[in-house]
């Protein structure tokens, strides 16, 4: 007789197992993430050593394997296609996460409507809403007359049976945390249920060539809820970002096996749903009648797309013994490092000042090429003197005070020249060759190698004005 199954504990952050409950996961170090999962008893005896093994796949040289470009299906939304790497791929599994109410279901409903209109069979599986609620949203979006299939179901076996019957080319599961399997006794949303349901849906997608889009919940820290193995199973991971109080949304590709990771798509929320924004630089630049202190335009790069983003800084006298350091849209720890570099290598001291940094438009800047623009914005706010009109900057700053090059500098400069900027402060290593100078006509380039050179260059510009 087999021994009775003992309950085990799984971490809902990384999926690691433990024989007993612990306050902290021994694998990833997260606190209060271990959940009890009853172990399933073995359903079949072990294979006998006398049984023959399955024939292994033949070994082939890499050069002998035929590689073909994957065909992509446009979703009808150019910004979503950009984040996906050009469109959806047959048999791919996409995981889309985001805060509640940010527009995940709205975007996917619009995309499925466009796909169905293009002759692509689509199925929308809703586990959080009823069919009537989906129909009401469709009417608000102006797609209420769509003939695409909708299924309100949370049982995995019923969903797989419907997929086998309908045979859609694209299916949306909204959301994976609500789906459960009869083979497991745990509740929907638990580590075991999410992992098993995602694995079975992935196997179906690969075997049948059906593209499946999974909608995932996020935790209070902004991370996808459920085991970390969920992100490893799928082919593409997309995050829906943005402030719910703002009308702009961003989709960022964190992982993509069929395209470049880091790509973003920009949308605007309107009364008729989400609309793509073809020129995102216009929404991330502030609208000032004249230059204001503490503002610097950054030539950023998100994936393969150059964007101009306004970085704002406010430096004020500290009201407490410990000055505050607050950053919105930029790394707070990096802000502390930049303040130290600014003091040591440029002589600009902010030790007794509160420093606040903000990226306009709710965009999150993670690349180190924003260092130079942040430092110039801090210096401008501290001196209460605005940077010149039409000024843009980019460059990474090291602890020794050097200004390091940023990737794809010429594309950043080309975007600034296209939008009418007149002066660009850039790393000396990003200075374009003379043969390409015609591409930046009207844009004055100021190359610098160190932080003190950048501060001095700004002072000369102010003196010239």
């Amino acid at each position: 007789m087999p021994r009775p199954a003992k309950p085990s504990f799984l971490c809902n952050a990384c999926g690691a197992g433990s024989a007993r409950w612990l306050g902290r996961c021994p694998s990833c170090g997260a606190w209060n993430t271990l959940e009890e999962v009853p172990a399933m008893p073995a359903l079949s005896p072990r294979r006998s050593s006398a049984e023959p093994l399955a024939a292994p796949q033949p070994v082939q040289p890499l050069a002998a394997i035929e590689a073909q470009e994957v065909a992509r299906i446009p979703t009808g939304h150019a910004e979503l296609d950009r984040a996906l790497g050009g469109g959806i791929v047959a048999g791919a599994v996409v995981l889309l996460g985001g805060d509640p109410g940010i527009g995940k279901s709205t975007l996917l409903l619009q995309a499925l409507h466009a796909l169905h209109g293009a002759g692509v069979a689509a199925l929308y599986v809703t586990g959080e809403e009823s069919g009537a609620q989906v129909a009401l949203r469709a009417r608000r979006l102006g797609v209420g007359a769509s003939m695409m299939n909708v299924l309100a179901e949370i049982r995995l076996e019923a969903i797989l049976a419907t997929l086998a019957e309908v045979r859609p080319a694209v299916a949306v599961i909204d959301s994976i945390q609500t789906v459960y399997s009869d083979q497991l006794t745990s509740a929907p949303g638990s580590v075991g249920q999410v992992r098993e349901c995602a694995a079975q849906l992935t196997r179906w997608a690969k075997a049948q060539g059906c593209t499946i889009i999974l909608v995932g919940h996020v935790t209070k820290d902004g991370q996808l809820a459920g085991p970390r193995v969920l992100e490893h199973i799928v082919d593409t991971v997309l995050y829906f970002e943005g402030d719910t109080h703002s009308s702009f949304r961003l989709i960022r590709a964190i992982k993509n096996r069929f395209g470049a990771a880091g790509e973003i798509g920009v949308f605007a929320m309107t009364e008729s749903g989400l609309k793509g924004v073809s020129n995102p630089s216009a929404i991330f630049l502030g609208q000032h009648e004249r230059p204001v202190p503490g503002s610097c335009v950054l030539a950023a790069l998100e994936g393969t797309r150059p964007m101009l983003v306004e970085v704002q800084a406010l430096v004020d006298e500290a009201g407490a013994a410990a000055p505050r350091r607050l950053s919105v849209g930029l790394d707070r720890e990096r802000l502390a490092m930049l303040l130290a570099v600014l003091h040591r290598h440029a002589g600009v001291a902010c030790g007794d000042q509160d420093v606040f940094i903000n990226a306009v438009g709710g965009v999150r800047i993670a690349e180190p090429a924003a260092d130079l623009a942040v430092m110039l914005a801090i210096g401008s706010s501290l001196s209460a003197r605005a940077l010149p009109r039409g000024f843009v900057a980019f460059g990474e700053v090291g602890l020794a005070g050097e200004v390091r090059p940023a990737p794809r500098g010429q594309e950043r400069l080309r975007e600034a020249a296209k939008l009418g900027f007149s002066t660009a402060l850039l790393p000396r290593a990003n200075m374009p060759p003379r043969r390409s100078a015609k591409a930046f006509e009207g844009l004055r380039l100021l190359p610098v190698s160190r932080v003190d050179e950048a501060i001095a260059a700004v002072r000369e510009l102010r003196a010239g004005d």
Side-chain angles (χ1 to χ4, degrees):
M1 294 294 293
R3 296 182 180 179
K6 295 183 179 180
S8 59
F9 298 86
L10 293 179
C11 174
N12 58 21
C14 66
S18 175
R20 60 188 181 90
W21 185 87
L22 298 172
R24 185 177 186 181
C25 175
S27 179
C28 66
W31 290 92
N32 299 323
T33 56
L34 292 180
E35 297 181 359
E36 183 177 356
V37 179
M40 298 297 295
L43 300 179
S44 59
R46 294 183 179 179
R47 183 187 61 85
S48 172
S49 58
E51 297 179 7
L53 294 173
Q57 293 293 329
V59 178
Q60 298 179 359
L62 181 61
I65 300 177
E66 183 180 358
Q68 298 178 352
E69 291 292 334
V70 293
R72 298 182 182 273
I73 304 174
T75 62
H77 291 264
E79 294 299 309
L80 180 58
D81 291 339
R82 175 186 288 270
L84 289 171
I88 59 177
V89 178
V93 181
V94 181
L95 177 61
L96 175 63
D99 294 330
I102 201 169
K104 302 183 298 295
S105 301
T106 298
L107 177 62
L108 293 178
L109 196 60
Q110 289 180 275
L112 288 189
H113 170 70
L115 287 169
H116 183 80
V120 179
L123 174 65
Y124 187 88
V125 181
T126 172
E128 299 181 349
E129 299 175 318
S130 64
Q133 290 174 315
V134 175
L136 287 174
R137 177 187 287 113
R139 291 190 180 93
R140 291 196 301 268
L141 299 176
V143 297
S146 176
M147 297 300 293
M148 71 176 181
N149 296 317
V150 177
L151 172 67
E153 182 61 64
I154 61 175
R155 193 165 63 91
L156 176 65
E157 287 73 17
I159 294 174
L160 292 176
T162 304
L163 290 174
E165 178 183 357
V166 177
R167 295 286 178 176
V170 181
V172 170
I173 311 297
D174 188 7
S175 65
I176 187 61
Q177 275 81 12
T178 62
V179 180
Y180 75 95
S181 173
D182 292 335
Q183 303 298 323
L184 301 178
T185 58
S186 54
S190 62
V191 175
Q193 288 284 7
V194 172
R195 182 175 57 186
E196 181 63 22
C197 293
Q200 292 199 35
L201 288 170
T202 301
R203 285 194 292 269
W204 168 268
K206 302 301 181 184
Q208 306 298 327
C210 172
T211 302
I212 292 183
I213 303 176
L214 307 176
V215 179
H217 297 168
V218 295
T219 63
K220 61 181 180 180
D221 298 329
Q223 302 295 326
L224 281 167
R228 181 65 64 179
V229 69
L230 182 62
E231 299 184 35
H232 296 285
I233 291 177
V234 301
D235 299 305
T236 305
V237 179
L238 303 179
Y239 272 86
F240 222 143
E241 302 176 357
D243 188 358
T244 55
H245 302 288
S246 174
S247 60
F248 298 108
R249 305 286 190 269
L250 278 77
I251 286 188
R252 188 184 304 272
I254 305 301
K255 169 190 174 182
N256 194 349
R257 289 174 179 161
F258 302 104
E263 289 286 357
I264 68 167
V266 185
F267 296 88
M269 179 65 78
T270 64
E271 294 182 356
S272 58
L274 288 165
K275 304 294 183 182
V277 178
S278 58
N279 184 19
S281 297
I283 66 175
F284 297 131
L285 292 178
Q287 304 296 328
H288 304 294
E289 295 182 358
R290 62 180 185 274
V292 296
S295 174
C296 181
V297 177
L298 162 68
L301 188 69
E302 293 292 340
T304 59
R305 165 182 281 178
M307 294 193 312
L308 299 186
V309 181
E310 181 184 0
V311 177
Q312 295 180 342
L314 177 61
V315 180
D316 194 15
E317 184 177 353
R324 299 182 63 188
R325 306 285 188 257
L326 182 61
S327 177
V328 178
L330 296 158
D331 188 6
R332 181 180 176 183
E333 300 298 331
R334 197 164 186 87
L335 171 60
M337 183 196 75
L338 293 178
L339 291 174
V341 174
L342 195 61
H343 180 209
R344 173 61 66 90
H345 299 286
V348 180
C350 300
D352 57 346
Q353 305 285 325
D354 290 334
V355 180
F356 305 94
I357 299 293
N358 177 43
V360 173
V363 64
R364 298 179 183 177
I365 304 297
E367 62 168 347
D371 294 347
L372 192 57
V374 171
M375 297 179 72
L376 294 178
I378 293 173
S380 173
S381 178
L382 184 63
S383 63
R385 299 188 63 184
L387 294 170
R389 182 182 295 275
F391 181 86
V392 64
F394 67 92
E396 179 184 355
V397 176
L399 291 179
E402 76 278 10
V403 179
R404 298 178 178 176
R408 304 173 70 174
Q410 294 193 30
E411 295 187 17
R412 303 172 193 255
L413 296 174
R414 194 174 293 111
E415 180 73 10
K418 183 179 69 174
L419 294 179
F421 282 79
S422 57
T423 307
L425 191 68
L426 69 156
R428 190 173 300 276
N430 282 124
M431 192 66 179
R434 293 183 178 180
R435 62 178 180 272
S436 60
K438 293 183 179 180
F440 313 108
E441 290 183 357
L443 184 62
R444 181 185 177 188
L445 304 181
L446 300 178
V448 295
S449 300
R450 297 190 56 81
V451 173
D452 51 351
E453 293 182 19
I455 300 297
V458 170
R459 290 174 181 170
E460 291 180 4
L461 287 175
R462 288 171 177 162
D465 292 341

